[in-house]
Amino acid sequence: MVANMIPNRMYPITTSAFINITSEHQGCRYIIVGKGPDLENMQELSKTHNEIIVVPGCSFEEMKSLYALSDIYVHGGREPASTALVIGGIASLPLISSHAVGCCLDCVEDEVSGYVVKNCASIKDWELAFKWMLDNRDRWHYMGSEARRKSKDLDVDVVVESFINLIKRICV
């Protein structure tokens, strides 16, 4: 997850859920990237849980490398829009998020391009999401392809063309 560690992003919830399911799925890592009030707590948690890797912010170039290393993109919490989630789709990654995150409806189709978490504030729902995704590793390539297909509607060339056409209709 790449998003500053502020309360509305609910890092403690997604991180706790991930830790809870790793006893059944050894070798998994949850890379969380960002700065903010929850950073210190997440760094402390990572000291006792090697499945949690904390990156205290990064440049856009570094972020691209992190997406390239990833198998899945996760975006928790609540926010009106998430370019990070769209970038996950552009990177052809399976996606996990909830409808409390803007762009989820654009990029995540439940069990097709990823997994839609029912309640973003529920550790249990996040556990279900992580478990489902890990149990469906054989579909990751397909889900990533579907996430990319869905994210194409938000590509710059598509959005610019739509925006220009809208302006033309309004101004004419």
Side-chain angles (χ1 to χ4, degrees), residues 101-145:
V101 174
C103 300
C104 182
L105 286 169
D106 297 302
C107 298
V108 188
E109 184 176 347
D110 199 28
E111 300 184 11
V112 176
S113 61
Y115 189 94
V116 177
V117 175
K118 307 308 177 236
N119 177 356
C120 69
S122 167
I123 291 174
K124 190 53 125 180
D125 285 0
W126 279 99
E127 288 172 359
L128 291 171
F130 288 130
K131 183 172 178 0
W132 184 88
M133 192 63 80
L134 290 168
D135 288 345
N136 285 277
R137 285 180 183 192
D138 61 322
R139 298 186 56 218
W140 286 0
H141 180 74
Y142 167 77
M143 286 185 271
S145 296

Side-chain angles (χ1 to χ4, degrees), residues 7-73:
N8 66 298
R9 302 259 169 74
M10 302 180 188
Y11 269 96
I13 291 171
T14 57
T15 304
S16 294
F18 190 82
I19 289 168
N20 292 346
I21 62 96
T22 56
S23 63
E24 299 170 23
H25 299 277
Q26 299 296 314
C28 295
R29 300 290 181 267
Y30 186 35
I31 302 171
I32 55 178
V33 182
K35 296 178 181 177
D38 285 332
L39 174 60
E40 190 175 310
N41 291 339
M42 295 298 100
Q43 288 173 319
E44 282 301 311
L45 194 60
S46 72
K47 289 178 183 177
T48 55
H49 295 279
N50 68 355
E51 64 271 31
I52 305 301
I53 300 169
V54 179
V55 178
C58 68
S59 69
F60 188 74
E61 287 303 311
E62 292 167 323
M63 183 178 72
K64 291 190 295 187
S65 296
L66 290 170
Y67 277 94
L69 290 169
S70 299
D71 293 313
I72 298 167
Y73 183 74

